[in-house]
Amino acid sequence: MAKQKGSRIIIHLECTTCRTNTDKRSEGVSRYTTVKNRRNTPTRLEIKKFCPHCNSHTVHKETK
Ligand SMILES: [Zn+2]
């Protein structure tokens, strides 16, 4: 079993364009699940990822 120190936590990333983009080809919001190190990244994480709903690379922001 790997030791968990509690600094790496699971977060969810959500497409920010999906909320405002009405021309997207399908309903829904693109979400990614990843982990981050709370010590290295105390702020909200923002990563550019491919969104299948917007059909392009968009900024995905961390949700709570
Ligand atoms: Zn999107």
Side-chain angles (χ1 to χ4, degrees):
M1 285 289 247
K3 278 186 182 174
Q4 288 285 340
K5 286 279 174 67
S7 57
R8 287 186 75 82
I9 54 170
I10 298 167
I11 58 163
H12 302 276
L13 303 171
E14 201 172 78
C15 174
T16 55
T17 312
C18 274
R19 296 159 183 257
T20 50
N21 184 13
T22 50
D23 294 329
K24 62 184 181 179
R25 55 176 193 168
S26 63
E27 289 291 315
V29 179
S30 167
R31 287 192 185 89
Y32 285 89
T33 304
T34 185
V35 291
K36 76 166 184 180
N37 193 315
R38 192 158 40 190
R39 213 175 297 170
N40 296 339
T41 319
T43 55
R44 287 209 160 192
L45 208 59
E46 282 184 30
I47 304 178
K48 269 210 158 190
K49 279 185 174 291
F50 179 79
C51 173
H53 300 286
C54 302
N55 204 23
S56 62
H57 278 82
T58 60
V59 174
H60 285 60
K61 265 191 184 178
E62 177 188 346
T63 62
K64 67 165 188 166

